[in-house]
Amino acid sequence: MDRIAVQDYQVIVLAEGDTPAAVSNAKGHLFEAFIAKLLREFGFDAPHERNVNVTSDGIELDVSISSSFTKQRATAEGKAYSTNVKAQALTSFYGKLNMARFEHPEMHGYLFALPRLVAQGHESARTAEQRDTRFHYFDAQRVVESLLSRNLIRSVESAVPEDLLVSDPTLLITKEGLYSCIKVIDRDTRRGIEVLVWGNTAENLVPQPVLTLLEESDYARDTPVRDLSKARNNPKKNHYSEAPSPIVVTVRGSSSDFEYQFPASPEFFVGRRSIVAELSRIVAAGRGTFVLNAQSGWGKSSLALKLRLMVERATGYAIVIDSRTANSPLFVTESLHIAAQNASRAGLLTLPTETSWASLKSAVATIRDAKWIRQAPLLIFFDQFENVFQDEETTRQFRDLALLVNELNQPVLLGFAWKTDLVGWTESHPYRLRDEIRAGSHQITVGPMGAKDVEALLRRLEKTLGQPLARELRQRLREYSQGLPWLFKKLAGHVIREIEDHAKTQEQLVSEALNVQSLFEADLAGLQPIEKDAVRHVARFAPVSAAEVTDRYDGVVIQSLLDRRLLVAVGEKLDTYWDTFRDFLNTGEVPIEDSYTIGLYPQGVAPVVSHVANHGGDVAISDLAPALGASPRSLVNVSRTLRLLGITSYDLARIRILDSILEAPDPESALRRGVARVLRRHKAYSLLLRLTERQPDGVSITSYARELPQAFPAVDAQPNTWATYARAFGLWFEYAGLAMFQNNSLFNPGEHFVGNGSLLTNKPNPAIKVEHLHDAPGPSIRFLESMTPEPIDYRDLPTDERRAVRNLVVLGLVREKAGGRIQMADGARVDGKVSRDALVAGLEKLAGGSAALLALRANPATSAREIGVILRDAARADWKDSTADGVGKHFRSWAKVAGLPVRRY
């Protein structure tokens, strides 16, 4: 029938109750009675075993039935969902049916899947019916045909006037009986303007409870409902007024490289090669659903705009929609309406003659029936999607859309992007519906920008400024931006304004607070009190109706905030220009941690801090270098570390300790507290806390170093360098009292632990003696076995034998005597050979020696690096990794001579 735009039937169960549970219970009983009525039409008695389950998605029913006349047995399942039923329902039911046939070979099976099985399951069910005459599959269309053939309901053709254009025919199951309804659609807009309801005869009026329940249902949302018999008797009332359409706004891109208030337009997009390649594969596939998963500010919207360009270059059509205006389920249908019409205007497809935008299902069916002019994709992408989760019904519509699109054979791509850091429900509707979208979608995980991407942005910044960036400023931008595109652009914009508008030098900029909190504070600094109040109000309730805000605040105030781009208009609503800014306004804090790296150990900077403190707390680097015998360049690196840790103020030419430290009653304690305060807001410390929660028995430096690169995506470093960073952080955590460093592992500190070490006094720990084996055992063993009991003058020995003797002295196998003489220690040799017991005792006396031997006994294949790290950490030595490798290698060799079963690693 041409005047019906969409002929696929739906089945809706309407029931009333005082509570949601009562409504569900009533729906279950009505559906059970309906299935029983159908089965009676096929000759079966009332069900004698039943199980009814009502969920938020629909109704599930299992029944066992038999015929007292034919003695025939049957089992039946009924599933009435809001979307097509998964194919698994067929395989599950058919498996149970065949199991039952072991006992009753003539058992019949009836599967009612409403509205129908998904495409694959639908075809499989029809095939099963052809091969198994005792299996019967009923979808909504077949159920309606059965009811029509038995005159239990009346057809659309016989009930609805021919001059009306209609869609979405539906069967209503109610306590009052079976009724039918359909949507009348406007011939111009093709949106629903009225719902008509009728019974199985032209004379019978539809009971008011049925009309009321239908008005309250999702089917008739915001659409008037009328009894068809009354509509016929009162033709003057057939004047329809269409409800206002939801507002659909597309995502706007930036107009320059560093316009951080908007996502990057494709022409300003940088890097992300691996993700772009994955998106290219999706465009090439041309159909299905996908999800961009990322935290706030990691570039989801920029990727969506880049994807739009990729689709357009593939001669398709793409629309990127801002989901923050989605305030009702009708938003989904309207989005499809706009996307399809735009695609038609772009020459991608031709819409069918009888289109309908009256519901989600009719909209998807309209796109399904469209004729593609060229085989290129239609992309509909919903950005800022986390706001949708505030409304269950709207979320459900999007879930249904994802399921329906996956069944289309047409080249339709459906994309979503939401923030993983805010969508974290573990129960309730968003969690379940969100995961159902994910389950049927290709997931793409978006991380922060990598080091190469940040480098590309740095080069663009240099091009914009017309000058190279100073190393210190370059490093600050790299580290503080943390791989977040918007944060880099905000910081870069700040640099451009300060240099070009205020004639500041790069060195001056580094001395200022280049962090996002200072920029947010600068955003607020120029506002009047009423403007600050208005922007905080919007942040608290965002996205909030513009009308509501302008009722509370003067329009001039709101326009001023819009002009400053602190607020943005999203349809008829207002929001802050960035969600992180919104969090700052609501909490007073920025949910972003420091992310600079530290490569210097506390003992490495202690001489500098001690010297500066002893000379008034302020010394020029040019004077400090000769005093400490250090190069000015190395002192610049020390100065940077001290500034980052909150110990000194910014000055490129001097090292100046903060007055709050020098003037404190206990300067060392004040310094330790300051370092602890800084490190607590650092990513490296947050990472350590997460690791210690999972590993309460200690986090090894090796595993900590392995995790660090994920916390510093914009830093490109070699594995050995990450190990140095890990050890440096660990030693600073120990100094600040935030962790305990023992046996190459970090532990949660005890309640009374205040920290280890000193920076101001620069006194070495007397319990630590950095003496280790720096040579293979061969020459030393041969020398010891050739020694006589009499003392020997060390100064008379050649160089190679002196080196061999030093190892023996370290192990206590040779003793130093007065006058530069040496003598073999008692028990060092037995029967002319080196005593293994004496050698083990000597190895155990070394700092970390016992732990290293224990590691080798537990695993004879423990590597030289692992042994070297154990010894280095126990001695708190400032060895490079290459030195640790060598020390560990020699220790393994000495342990093998001592009789340990050392094996290759």
Side-chain angles (χ1 to χ4, degrees):
M1 191 165 93
D2 293 340
R3 65 193 180 90
I4 300 183
V6 181
Q7 295 189 6
D8 293 340
Y9 262 86
Q10 301 180 61
V11 176
I12 298 176
V13 181
L14 298 177
E16 57 185 349
D18 295 332
T19 64
V23 171
S24 296
N25 184 58
K27 284 185 176 182
H29 286 300
L30 286 173
F31 187 63
E32 176 191 352
F34 172 71
I35 296 297
K37 185 173 185 177
L38 284 176
L39 293 171
R40 281 198 298 273
E41 294 293 329
F42 304 142
F44 290 99
D45 301 334
H48 48 81
E49 291 182 20
R50 59 181 63 87
N51 179 34
V52 183
N53 181 36
V54 182
T55 67
S56 57
D57 286 328
I59 308 169
E60 299 174 346
L61 171 70
D62 299 324
V63 296
S64 295
I65 50 178
S66 60
S67 172
S68 57
F69 180 70
T70 63
K71 307 302 181 184
Q72 191 178 76
R73 291 177 177 271
T75 182
E77 280 192 11
K79 297 182 184 298
Y81 291 167
S82 59
T83 56
N84 293 336
V85 181
K86 294 180 180 178
Q88 182 183 358
L90 169 64
T91 56
S92 175
F93 174 73
Y94 202 72
K96 289 190 290 185
L97 172 62
N98 283 311
M99 289 293 292
R101 285 173 175 172
F102 289 142
E103 184 175 353
H104 303 287
E106 299 302 316
M107 176 79 75
H108 279 249
Y110 290 83
L111 176 61
F112 298 89
L114 311 178
R116 67 178 182 86
L117 291 167
V118 296
Q120 181 182 2
H122 186 81
E123 294 302 320
S124 298
R126 294 301 184 211
T127 301
E129 278 192 311
Q130 293 173 3
R131 298 181 178 181
D132 183 351
T133 58
R134 298 189 304 277
F135 169 73
H136 314 278
Y137 161 56
F138 285 80
D139 58 9
Q141 191 67 32
R142 193 170 177 185
V143 165
V144 168
E145 290 171 358
S146 297
L147 296 173
L148 287 171
S149 66
R150 291 164 173 79
N151 296 319
L152 297 176
I153 60 173
R154 196 153 48 105
S155 68
V156 175
E157 293 85 347
S158 64
V160 180
E162 294 183 359
D163 60 330
L164 297 180
L165 185 61
V166 292
S167 74
D168 297 275
T170 301
L171 171 66
L172 301 178
I173 302 172
T174 73
K175 182 177 66 174
E176 286 77 11
L178 300 179
Y179 295 89
S180 303
C181 68
I182 203 163
K183 289 185 178 180
V184 178
I185 58 178
D186 183 88
R187 290 188 177 273
D188 295 325
T189 66
R190 299 305 174 102
R191 297 188 183 98
I193 54 177
E194 185 176 43
V195 175
L196 297 178
V197 194
W198 66 93
N200 64 341
T201 65
E203 296 76 21
N204 290 345
L205 296 178
V206 180
Q208 185 59 44
V210 175
L211 298 175
T212 301
L213 289 173
L214 185 57
E215 285 177 347
E216 297 171 351
S217 70
D218 293 336
Y219 175 88
R221 184 183 305 274
D222 299 327
T223 308
V225 175
R226 280 209 291 167
D227 185 340
L228 181 58
S229 60
K230 290 184 178 180
R232 276 182 169 176
N233 297 330
N234 297 278
K236 293 182 179 180
K237 293 186 178 180
N238 292 338
H239 298 287
Y240 310 110
S241 58
E242 191 174 334
S245 301
I247 296 174
V248 177
V249 179
T250 57
V251 174
R252 170 189 170 184
S254 64
S255 57
S256 65
D257 271 314
F258 303 113
E259 187 180 13
Y260 62 86
Q261 293 92 337
F262 299 99
S265 295
E267 59 266 36
F268 308 115
F269 186 86
V270 171
R272 306 301 186 95
R273 291 185 179 181
S274 61
I275 298 176
V276 170
E278 193 167 0
L279 293 175
S280 296
R281 290 190 289 272
I282 288 176
V283 173
R287 59 171 54 88
T289 60
F290 63 97
V291 175
L292 291 182
N293 280 313
Q295 293 188 23
S296 175
W298 285 12
K300 302 182 296 297
S301 301
S302 300
L303 280 165
L305 295 178
K306 176 71 172 179
L307 178 61
R308 184 185 68 188
L309 178 64
M310 294 163 64
V311 170
E312 291 170 351
R313 286 178 174 173
T315 70
Y317 174 78
I319 183 171
V320 181
I321 297 171
D322 191 327
S323 302
R324 286 179 290 184
T325 60
N327 56 7
S328 81
L330 298 177
F331 178 86
V332 185
T333 304
E334 184 62 17
S335 297
L336 297 182
H337 182 194
I338 292 173
Q341 284 192 324
N342 290 352
S344 177
R345 296 189 189 102
L348 175 63
L349 53 83
T350 301
L351 293 171
T353 304
E354 301 301 337
T355 62
S356 173
W357 309 108
S359 69
L360 171 61
K361 290 182 180 179
S362 64
V364 173
T366 296
I367 294 175
R368 178 198 64 199
D369 296 336
K371 179 182 178 182
W372 251 253
I373 298 174
R374 55 181 181 271
Q375 282 303 305
L378 164 62
L379 168 67
I380 307 169
F381 192 96
F382 293 99
D383 192 26
Q384 299 284 345
F385 195 75
E386 60 278 354
N387 293 279
V388 173
F389 294 122
Q390 298 176 15
D391 181 74
E392 179 174 2
E393 293 304 324
T394 304
T395 307
R396 192 184 309 283
Q397 284 281 295
F398 278 105
R399 189 279 312 271
D400 293 350
L401 172 62
L403 297 177
L404 290 170
V405 166
N406 281 334
E407 291 192 62
L408 292 178
N409 292 322
Q410 288 71 22
V412 178
L413 283 171
L414 178 65
F416 302 93
W418 59 67
K419 293 185 291 187
T420 56
D421 49 348
L422 293 184
V423 183
W425 291 274
T426 56
E427 54 187 23
S428 77
H429 80 270
Y431 172 81
R432 182 176 52 80
L433 296 173
R434 177 199 64 188
D435 284 358
E436 287 181 10
I437 295 175
R438 277 181 176 167
S441 304
H442 178 75
Q443 296 188 52
I444 302 175
T445 301
V446 180
M449 292 190 303
K452 292 181 179 179
D453 295 339
V454 175
E455 181 61 30
L457 285 174
L458 287 168
R459 289 196 296 269
R460 289 195 181 190
L461 177 57
E462 288 178 327
K463 184 177 180 180
T464 301
L465 290 172
Q467 58 180 282
L469 291 173
R471 178 177 178 272
E472 184 79 5
L473 180 58
R474 191 182 186 88
Q475 189 66 15
R476 284 288 183 94
L477 288 169
R478 178 181 290 279
E479 293 177 346
Y480 283 0
S481 66
Q482 305 172 69
L484 301 177
W486 76 271
L487 183 51
F488 183 96
K489 291 190 289 184
K490 186 173 179 70
L491 293 169
H494 172 71
V495 169
I496 293 170
R497 287 191 302 273
E498 293 298 300
I499 290 178
E500 294 183 350
D501 298 344
H502 301 99
K504 287 190 176 181
T505 66
Q506 294 187 33
E507 290 75 16
Q508 287 175 308
L509 282 176
V510 173
S511 68
E512 296 177 353
L514 279 182
N515 57 66
V516 68
Q517 181 156 334
S518 71
L519 294 180
F520 286 162
E521 290 169 349
D523 286 338
L524 299 176
L527 299 182
Q528 299 297 324
I530 187 64
E531 292 176 320
K532 290 182 181 179
D533 189 57
V535 75
R536 292 184 188 279
H537 175 82
V538 171
R540 182 180 179 186
F541 299 103
V544 60
S545 166
E548 176 188 331
V549 177
T550 52
D551 283 343
R552 185 183 182 100
Y553 300 96
D554 191 277
V556 176
V557 172
I558 303 304
Q559 188 60 51
S560 171
L561 295 172
L562 289 169
D563 293 341
R564 292 168 185 253
R565 293 186 176 175
L566 297 179
L567 296 182
V568 292
V570 186
E572 294 182 343
K573 294 190 176 183
L574 295 177
D575 201 347
T576 57
Y577 72 84
W578 202 262
D579 42 15
T580 307
F581 181 50
R582 183 170 64 238
D583 295 339
F584 168 73
L585 292 170
N586 288 329
T587 66
E589 298 179 356
V590 177
I592 295 178
E593 301 164 301
D594 290 334
S595 63
Y596 48 81
T597 55
I598 299 176
L600 297 177
Y601 302 166
Q603 58 265 37
V605 304
V608 175
V609 178
S610 176
H611 183 92
V612 173
N614 292 332
H615 290 78
D618 182 5
V619 179
I621 290 179
S622 58
D623 296 333
L624 191 60
L628 295 177
S631 68
R633 183 173 181 177
S634 67
L635 290 176
V636 168
N637 289 333
V638 171
S639 176
R640 173 182 179 273
T641 298
L642 296 177
R643 288 197 304 274
L644 291 173
L645 292 172
I647 298 172
T648 60
S649 58
Y650 182 85
D651 194 322
L652 288 179
R654 311 181 68 83
I655 295 181
R656 183 183 296 113
I657 298 175
L658 297 178
D659 292 340
S660 59
I661 294 174
L662 295 175
E663 296 172 1
D666 184 350
E668 189 76 57
S669 296
L671 197 157
R672 199 186 305 277
R673 287 193 301 271
V675 172
R677 183 169 54 253
V678 169
L679 290 178
R680 280 194 181 96
R681 65 170 184 264
H682 200 284
K683 269 191 172 183
Y685 181 60
S686 298
L687 172 62
L688 178 63
L689 291 179
R690 291 195 298 272
L691 292 176
T692 53
E693 287 179 0
R694 300 198 303 263
Q695 306 172 42
D697 295 334
V699 178
S700 70
I701 289 296
T702 302
S703 64
Y704 187 43
R706 199 163 45 239
E707 297 287 340
L708 275 178
Q710 300 178 24
F712 297 86
V715 177
D716 191 12
Q718 298 299 316
N720 288 347
T721 305
W722 286 115
T724 300
Y725 291 155
R727 188 166 291 103
F729 277 121
L731 291 171
W732 279 107
F733 292 151
E734 184 182 46
Y735 171 78
L738 301 178
M740 297 179 67
F741 199 160
Q742 297 176 358
N743 297 328
N744 195 38
S745 293
L746 293 166
F747 301 84
N748 282 323
E751 183 178 352
H752 302 293
F753 182 71
V754 295
N756 275 337
S758 171
L759 297 183
L760 292 175
T761 59
N762 193 28
K763 291 181 179 179
N765 190 331
I768 298 174
K769 187 177 182 181
V770 184
E771 288 184 346
H772 273 285
L773 303 167
H774 295 277
D775 295 286
S780 298
I781 296 298
R782 288 192 293 271
F783 184 87
L784 181 62
E785 291 178 346
S786 67
M787 286 185 73
T788 63
E790 291 77 18
I792 301 173
D793 195 323
Y794 177 77
R795 292 166 293 187
D796 294 338
L797 296 176
T799 302
D800 57 340
E801 290 187 349
R802 287 184 184 184
R803 189 175 182 92
V805 167
R806 285 200 293 270
N807 290 319
L808 298 173
V809 172
V810 168
L811 292 170
L813 300 176
V814 168
R815 301 185 185 281
E816 297 180 78
K817 299 180 70 68
R821 296 167 66 81
I822 58 171
Q823 186 175 23
M824 182 171 54
D826 295 339
R829 206 169 63 195
V830 177
D831 296 331
K833 300 291 184 181
V834 176
S835 169
R836 289 186 171 184
D837 291 341
L839 184 50
V840 169
L843 291 172
E844 288 180 338
K845 290 178 182 178
L846 298 176
S850 296
L853 291 174
L854 186 62
L856 285 169
R857 290 188 179 104
N859 178 16
T862 302
S863 69
R865 167 63 62 84
E866 292 174 287
I867 296 299
V869 168
I870 291 174
L871 300 173
R872 175 173 61 186
D873 292 338
R876 302 196 186 177
D878 193 7
W879 297 340
K880 295 182 179 179
D881 289 334
S882 58
T883 303
D885 288 341
V887 174
K889 176 182 176 182
H890 297 317
F891 189 95
R892 278 173 48 91
S893 299
W894 281 94
K896 187 173 183 179
V897 173
L900 271 72
V902 178
R903 296 200 307 268
R904 287 182 178 272
Y905 49 87

